[in-house]
Amino acid sequence: MNDKDNLLLSADFSQRTPGAPAHDQFRQRWSPRSMTGQALSLQDLETLCEAGRWSPSCFNSQPWRFIYALPNTPEWDRIFGLLMDVNQLWAAKAGALVALVSRTRFEANDAPAATHSFDAGSAWMSMALQAQHMGLAAHAMWGFHHDQAPQVLGLSDAFATQAIIALGHPASADDLPEPLREREVPSPRKPLSELMFPGALPRA
Ligand SMILES: Cc1cc2nc3c(=O)[nH]c(=O)nc-3n(C[C@H](O)[C@H](O)[C@H](O)COP(=O)(O)O)c2cc1C
């Protein structure tokens, strides 16, 4: 996508001052809530999951699973129904929902896979960056009813819920309900000086 056609890049990035010359894709990725409601094509959804598929994981165990729903389907009603009200308010206009779950035990030997959440997090970030490249919005949500998820998503005890990801075609911030409108802006980060330390954390 041409940068000038990318609605996500027309946001106000003034709070995002680079701390060092990392690739712009990292600073330019953000989590919009305003989406048009247009369904994603299955091809686009596959492309996003494909990006997640190539993520690194401990022993290449690939613990992530992408359970998706497109609008106006029975699956949508079930996954959308898991979201907390505060997220339903805006995610109703997403073009797809993906419940990201992870296998908590290795398939090879059933031993606990201590890094399954860390691995699933890398899959989310790959999907988010791929979405950004495609001019699509990607917004992860922890705010859903995790207790109901195993039954709705068909999860055995071997799986843990990580996030439900709203994906969609971006829309103007003006289309959001008032309390969300002013938050529809790329957020700042702590400076590198508060995050990066030689050898050990400084003593408090
Ligand atoms: C694991 C995870 C869970 C999140 N849960 C929610 C959520 O339930 N609702 C929401 O509106 N945003 C949620 N967010 C979005 C974060 O608030 C957002 O990523 C953060 O403020 C940084 O903003 P940015 O993604 O635009 O850079 C979540 C993000 C992550 C990574």
Side-chain angles (χ1 to χ4, degrees):
M1 151 157 320
N2 192 322
D3 277 5
K4 74 178 168 40
D5 299 329
N6 189 333
L7 188 58
L8 299 175
L9 294 181
S10 68
D12 176 3
F13 283 91
S14 57
Q15 296 191 90
R16 293 205 165 179
T17 315
H23 195 289
D24 273 347
Q25 66 175 331
F26 302 108
R27 193 178 49 87
Q28 289 175 344
R29 182 217 56 83
W30 62 292
S31 302
R33 292 186 177 84
S34 191
M35 304 183 207
T36 62
Q38 183 192 340
L40 252 58
S41 67
L42 189 56
Q43 196 181 15
D44 278 353
L45 194 50
E46 283 176 351
T47 302
L48 293 161
C49 293
E50 169 75 359
R53 185 168 82 99
W54 289 111
S55 302
S57 58
C58 188
F59 296 125
N60 197 20
S61 56
Q62 305 161 64
W64 44 74
R65 300 291 183 273
F66 311 110
I67 305 175
Y68 70 88
L70 292 166
N72 304 311
T73 63
E75 295 84 35
W76 174 276
D77 292 342
R78 294 211 314 273
I79 297 184
F80 183 77
L82 287 174
L83 295 177
M84 289 183 175
D85 291 352
V86 65
N87 286 324
Q88 285 193 347
L89 194 61
W90 57 270
K93 293 276 194 73
L97 294 173
V98 173
L100 176 58
V101 304
S102 56
R103 216 173 189 288
T104 61
R105 310 184 81 85
F106 291 115
E107 285 170 271
N109 59 7
D110 209 37
T115 64
H116 68 91
S117 291
F118 186 89
D119 299 339
S122 73
W124 141 249
M125 188 57 175
S126 297
M127 294 174 80
L129 290 172
Q130 179 64 37
Q132 188 79 14
H133 284 299
M134 293 163 73
L136 296 172
H139 196 132
M141 295 171 280
W142 177 254
F144 63 95
H145 299 286
H146 292 254
D147 55 331
Q148 298 169 21
Q151 199 262 325
V152 169
L153 302 174
L155 307 179
S156 72
D157 288 351
F159 286 88
T161 47
Q162 297 297 343
I164 295 180
I165 303 167
L167 299 157
H169 297 275
S172 161
D174 298 339
D175 297 349
L176 284 172
E178 180 54 62
L180 297 177
R181 211 173 297 162
E182 64 191 30
R183 291 166 57 194
E184 190 72 346
V185 63
S187 52
R189 290 294 188 271
K190 298 177 199 289
L192 263 185
S193 57
E194 288 181 29
L195 303 171
M196 197 182 158
F197 307 98
L201 285 180
R203 288 182 195 282

